[in-house]
Amino acid sequence: MESEISENISFSDVALEDLPQVVAEIYDFGKKYRIWLFKAEMGGGKTTFISHLCDFLKVEDHVSSPTFGLVNVYMSSKVGEIYHFDFYRIKNEQEAFEIGVEDYFYSNKLCLIEWPEMIPSFITDQFLLIEINLSTSQNKRNFKISKHG
């Protein structure tokens, strides 16, 4: 997952009610990227962000973290199929290999990946990294988004 950052943006002290606007701006910034990596602590807002992103992309399916199934597939009227991964519970990269993660990642479909640090050898050279951190303001988040490759 080490690659050169070509450009980045950030948002500070984002409240939940402001998230739809921030999601729209982040999507506009990173829409050419097919692989989106999400880094945050447990409960840090990864799935909440992804849910808002799917709303923005006109997904009608229920969006939830695919913790046990590893991948959820959503249909978007804007971008077609979206793959949502959560690798928190895998024991090793072999488990990701066994679900065919490379086929998903090279499908040219939007892949939203929680806990990418669990599968470093599968991450492509080009990706959008979304880092989410708790703000010093209660119930708000800071976002740092960087283009890689």
Side-chain angles (χ1 to χ4, degrees):
M1 275 190 318
E2 298 298 321
S3 70
E4 188 174 317
I5 297 173
S6 61
E7 192 177 353
N8 63 55
I9 60 171
S10 61
F11 300 87
S12 298
D13 296 327
V14 177
L16 189 58
E17 60 268 16
D18 300 323
L19 196 52
Q21 178 61 37
V22 170
V23 162
E25 290 182 47
I26 291 172
Y27 182 76
D28 189 54
F29 176 75
K31 62 186 169 192
K32 82 169 197 142
Y33 287 83
R34 300 287 91 205
I35 304 295
W36 288 35
L37 309 182
F38 292 84
K39 290 184 121 183
E41 294 179 17
M42 178 68 75
K46 297 178 294 295
T47 303
T48 299
F49 180 95
I50 289 170
S51 179
H52 279 83
L53 176 63
C54 287
D55 286 345
F56 176 77
L57 295 174
K58 306 288 188 224
V59 168
E60 293 188 19
D61 305 300
H62 173 71
V63 176
S64 64
S65 184
T67 303
F68 295 103
L70 296 182
V71 62
N72 287 344
V73 180
Y74 311 124
M75 184 54 70
S76 161
S77 62
K78 282 188 172 182
V79 299
E81 280 186 328
I82 298 172
Y83 303 124
H84 177 193
F85 300 88
D86 183 336
F87 292 111
Y88 179 73
R89 296 197 188 284
I90 66 168
K91 293 176 183 66
N92 55 55
E93 288 186 309
Q94 182 65 28
E95 289 181 52
F97 177 78
E98 288 171 1
I99 68 159
V101 75
E102 289 177 307
D103 293 334
Y104 288 109
F105 289 3
Y106 289 97
S107 68
N108 205 31
K109 307 286 186 191
L110 182 59
C111 294
L112 310 173
I113 304 163
E114 297 186 44
W115 303 99
E117 57 271 31
M118 301 299 287
I119 57 157
S121 64
F122 289 110
I123 302 303
T124 62
D125 292 337
Q126 281 196 336
F127 58 87
L128 189 74
L129 176 61
I130 296 100
E131 296 174 273
I132 307 170
N133 295 294
L134 295 175
S135 170
T136 54
S137 301
Q138 188 175 4
N139 296 323
K140 294 184 179 180
R141 301 291 189 269
N142 297 323
F143 294 87
K144 180 181 174 189
I145 301 87
S146 51
K147 295 178 179 180
H148 294 254

